[in-house]
């Protein structure tokens, strides 16, 4: 009652393939006379490792039989694998077939659900779902039982509408899921396939499932699984009695990791010298395409790992030779897998001032080949950077799309142009100058910059004083005016002093000599009287203004006046 394991590759103790079993689990290894060979089969997940077997031959050629190898089932493993195999490329007006292979990679009988989805296949319709339930562009199969290490195949036949444009891409996907158990490896439970719609094409070709791969994602311990599909078709005028497919595996691929996934017809797998792998389809009786178009086609689908030490910019190339009977070989195209490195992560930086009316440069990260810039969704350039001149204050959405042959990135940057501060107003209070506004103040006297950075400075000489305020990195315009320095005695005789200025709660008013005979009138910026005092008998008084509104107020006393700020 043992189950035969189909198509495992047999390895010598160096990990070099030396043979393979057929679909019935039978294997054949040619040996020289007087030789000894120790070998083991590849042990997939779900089976416990086995001991090796050894064959010793004598001087007389003989056939050694009965070298059976037992592998034990691991009852704790549940693992399904899906492969999506195209038997041809999509062509307008022709049928297009896909084979969905569901393999139970454990020894346990499992139940599962299989789904095929026409993700993006304009102009295609389903002709045959092989027993699946069709719902729009989705086909679903309920698989009640798949025994250990069994492979079930499901075919989907589509018709490509004759009006389908050439060059567009067709994308389909498929996935399988266990019912009732947890799958050991979900990475092999789904596949997505993209093909280009073509006109006439060579039916003898080779395809690889991964054409480009970012090197930084490559595991240095396990390598990358590549799946190759070799398709062949008898385009002659009579059936082909046998077909031989030869494929030389390059050094960047681990020959010992090769695994057969499926083939359209029974075959014998041989490993020849110089890393040549040969599939021999004996007595295939492949019809010619004019007699039986669908029957004239065949394929091979296998998996192989890359060697872990692949260098960046390596290119793996694979070309097959197909022999129909004794005719000259048909050489396929070359399937390539490129390993590349993306540039540094795309970032946007700025140089220059974020102030109104200034010049600012917006730059992207070096290393990308092409750029596409927009500012507030309006195209603005295709170079490494763009410039923005005389921008008004506000926030701008800057977008950059960068790309190389294999990489693409998108980044959005919010650029804020700050508001320019209001030009300050200077008022004099005795020998103090006060500027309106907030931020960092730059004062000057007769064109020479002073050390003061607050809004209030004390002057010690008369002259032309100027001030500007800096806020959020932007400068206001400069205010300049002539101001007189007043000596202490002269100030007491001729000037009125109001301090502190600005204030938050109280002000003190010092009146000049002779001012006590006048009334004090305080008005706001609109000229409204907020305080009036008469019959003064003192030359200094303090007034509570804590409940007054923020703003500029003027104090008048006879011929004298002063302004102060209530913060």
């Amino acid at each position: 009652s043992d189950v035969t394991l189909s198509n495992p590759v047999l390895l010598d103790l160096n990990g070099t393939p030396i043979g393979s079993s057929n679909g019935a689990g039978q294997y054949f290894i040619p040996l020289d006379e007087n030789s000894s060979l120790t070998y083991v089969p590849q042990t997939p997940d779900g089976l416990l490792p086995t001991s090796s077997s050894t064959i010793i031959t004598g001087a007389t050629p003989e056939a050694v039989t009965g070298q059976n190898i037992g592998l034990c089932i691991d009852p704790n493993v549940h693992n399904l694998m899906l492969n999506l195999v195209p038997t041809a490329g999509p062509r307008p007006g022709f049928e297009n077939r896909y084979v969905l292979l569901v393999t139970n990679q454990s020894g346990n009988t499992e139940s599962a659900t299989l789904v095929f989805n026409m993700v993006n296949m304009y102009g295609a319709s389903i002709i045959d779902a092989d027993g699946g339930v069709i719902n729009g562009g989705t086909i679903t199969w309920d698989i009640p039982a798949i025994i250990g290490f069994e492979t079930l195949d499901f075919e989907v036949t589509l018709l490509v509408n004759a009006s389908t444009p050439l060059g567009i891409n067709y994308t389909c996907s498929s996935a399988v899921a266990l019912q009732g158990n947890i799958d050991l490896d979900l990475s092999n439970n789904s596949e997505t396939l993209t093909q280009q719609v073509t006109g006439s094409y060579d039916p003898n070709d080779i395809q690889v499932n991964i054409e480009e791969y970012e090197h930084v994602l490559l595991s240095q311990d396990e390598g990358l699984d590549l799946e190759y599909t070799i398709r062949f078709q008898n385009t002659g005028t009579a059936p082909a009695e046998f077909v031989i497919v030869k494929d030389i595996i390059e050094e960047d691929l681990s020959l010992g990791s090769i695994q057969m996934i499926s083939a359209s017809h029974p075959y014998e797998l041989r490993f020849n010298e110089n890393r040549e792998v040969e599939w021999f389809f004996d007595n295939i009786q492949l019809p010619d395409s004019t007699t039986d178009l669908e029957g004239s086609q065949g394929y091979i689908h296998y998996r192989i790992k890359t060697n872990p030490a692949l260098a960046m910019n390596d290119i793996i190339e694979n070309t097959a030779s197909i022999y129909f009977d004794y005719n000259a070989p048909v050489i396929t195209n070359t399937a390539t897998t490129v390993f590349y490195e993306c540039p540094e992560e795309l970032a946007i930086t700025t140089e220059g001032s974020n102030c109104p009316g200034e010049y600012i440069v917006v730059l992207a990260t070096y290393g990308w080949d092409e750029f596409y810039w927009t500012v507030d969704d309006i195209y603005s350039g295709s170079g490494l950077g763009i410039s923005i001149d005389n921008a008004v204050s506000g926030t701008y959405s800057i977008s950059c799309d960068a790309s190389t042959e294999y990489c693409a990135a998108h980044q959005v940057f919010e650029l804020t142009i700050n508001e320019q501060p209001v030009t300050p107003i200077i008022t004099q209070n005795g020998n103090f100058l006060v500027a309106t506004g907030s931020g960092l103040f730059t004062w000057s006297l007769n064109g020479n910059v002073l050390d003061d950075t607050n809004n209030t400075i004390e002057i010690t000489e008369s002259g032309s004083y100027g001030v500007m305020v800096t806020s959020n990195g932007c400068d206001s315009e400069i205010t300049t005016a002539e101001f007189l320095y007043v000596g202490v005695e002269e100030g007491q005789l001729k000037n009125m002093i109001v301090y502190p200025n600005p204030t938050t709660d109280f002000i003190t008013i010092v009146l000049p000599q002779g001012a006590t005979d006048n009334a004090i009138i305080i008005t706001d910026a609109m000229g409204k009287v907020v305080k009036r005092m008469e019959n003064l008998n003192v030359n200094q008084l303090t007034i509570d203004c804590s409940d007054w509104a923020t703003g500029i107020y003027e104090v008048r006393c006879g011929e004298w006046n002063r302004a102060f700020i209530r913060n």
Side-chain angles (χ1 to χ4, degrees), residues 234-243 283-292 295-296 324-327:
N234 179 10
T235 57
T237 58
E241 293 189 14
F242 64 87
V243 173
N283 196 29
I284 189 173
Q285 298 299 326
L286 194 68
D288 62 87
S289 56
T290 58
T291 303
D292 183 354
S296 66
F324 296 92
D325 293 337
Y326 297 101
N327 295 296

Side-chain angles (χ1 to χ4, degrees), residues 7-10 18-22 26-28 260 267 269 271:
N7 308 121
V9 174
L10 298 166
I18 56 174
S20 173
S21 75
N22 59 21
Q26 299 170 328
Y27 66 97
F28 169 81
M260 277 302 300
Y267 63 91
L269 181 59
F271 294 92

Side-chain angles (χ1 to χ4, degrees), residues 334-350:
T334 299
T336 60
T337 299
V338 177
F339 294 89
Y340 61 89
E341 182 180 40
C342 286
E344 181 182 349
E345 182 179 358
L346 179 64
I348 298 177
T349 57
T350 61

Side-chain angles (χ1 to χ4, degrees), residues 82 100 113-116 173-177 189-191:
L82 171 78
L100 285 64
T113 301
L114 174 65
V115 177
F116 175 85
S173 65
S174 186
V176 66
N189 285 42
S190 61
E191 279 197 11

Side-chain angles (χ1 to χ4, degrees), residues 36-364:
S36 174
L37 176 65
T38 301
Y39 58 98
V40 294
Q42 290 176 338
T43 304
D45 293 330
L47 291 176
L48 300 176
T50 183
S51 58
S52 59
S53 295
T54 301
I55 296 178
I56 301 175
T57 66
T60 304
E62 61 177 327
V64 179
T65 61
Q67 291 286 120
N68 301 323
I69 303 172
L71 299 177
C72 297
I73 293 173
D74 185 344
N76 298 316
V77 171
H78 304 274
N79 188 13
L80 294 185
M81 179 178 68
L82 171 78
N83 292 103
L84 177 59
V85 183
T87 62
R91 292 185 297 162
F94 291 88
E95 291 184 356
N96 189 30
R97 289 191 308 121
Y98 298 90
V99 178
L100 285 64
L101 300 169
V102 180
T103 301
N104 185 356
Q105 292 191 293
S106 75
N108 303 294
T109 299
E110 308 284 4
S111 57
T113 301
L114 174 65
V115 177
F116 175 85
N117 187 15
M118 299 165 61
V119 178
N120 180 20
M121 306 185 80
Y122 170 82
S125 56
I126 299 173
I127 300 299
D128 187 3
D130 199 6
V133 177
I134 301 174
N135 183 12
T138 301
I139 307 172
T140 304
W141 294 265
D142 182 62
I143 307 174
I146 174 171
I147 64 175
F149 304 103
E150 180 183 25
T151 296
L152 301 180
D153 62 272
F154 302 83
E155 288 193 5
V156 175
T157 303
L158 306 179
L159 177 64
V160 182
N161 191 289
S163 62
T164 302
L166 300 180
I168 69 170
N169 286 331
Y170 266 8
T171 300
C172 61
S173 65
S174 186
V176 66
L178 278 171
Q179 297 177 0
N181 289 312
I182 298 177
D183 201 298
L184 174 69
D185 181 11
L186 294 176
S187 66
N188 59 10
N189 285 42
S190 61
E191 279 197 11
T192 298
L193 178 67
T194 297
Q195 296 175 286
Q196 188 177 79
V197 176
T198 61
S200 299
Y201 78 106
D202 187 349
N204 299 284
D205 69 354
I206 183 171
Q207 297 180 356
V208 64
N209 66 324
I210 300 175
E211 295 182 349
E212 58 264 345
Y213 196 80
E214 189 172 2
H215 187 268
V216 70
L217 302 177
L218 186 64
S219 170
Q220 295 302 309
D221 297 325
E222 299 180 359
L224 177 68
D225 281 325
L226 297 180
E227 293 184 11
Y228 289 95
T229 302
I230 303 173
R231 299 186 299 199
F232 54 88
Q233 183 176 24
N234 179 10
T235 57
T237 58
E241 293 189 14
F242 64 87
V243 173
I244 298 175
V245 179
K246 296 183 178 182
D247 188 2
I248 296 177
I249 307 300
E250 70 164 74
E251 295 288 342
D252 282 333
L253 296 173
S254 173
L255 185 58
S257 69
I258 190 169
Q259 290 180 315
M260 277 302 300
I261 296 175
S262 66
S264 57
H265 300 79
Y267 63 91
E268 180 184 334
L269 181 59
R270 302 170 179 173
F271 294 92
N272 303 327
E273 295 180 350
N274 300 320
R275 299 176 63 87
E276 182 183 78
V277 181
E278 176 183 310
W279 291 265
F280 180 41
F281 296 88
D282 191 19
N283 196 29
I284 189 173
Q285 298 299 326
L286 194 68
D288 62 87
S289 56
T290 58
T291 303
D292 183 354
L293 180 63
E294 183 174 331
S296 66
Q297 303 175 50
Y299 71 88
I300 296 164
H301 193 65
Y302 71 90
R303 178 189 297 113
I304 191 169
K305 284 184 178 293
T306 63
N307 285 322
L310 280 176
M312 188 182 64
N313 297 325
D314 271 350
I315 299 178
I316 295 178
E317 298 181 331
N318 199 349
T319 304
S321 302
I322 304 171
Y323 298 78
F324 296 92
D325 293 337
Y326 297 101
N327 295 296
V330 176
I331 308 300
T332 69
N333 60 299
T334 299
T336 60
T337 299
V338 177
F339 294 89
Y340 61 89
E341 182 180 40
C342 286
E344 181 182 349
E345 182 179 358
L346 179 64
I348 298 177
T349 57
T350 61
E351 294 181 0
S353 172
N354 287 44
C355 298
E358 299 292 334
Y359 179 84
I360 186 168
V361 175
V362 183
L363 295 171

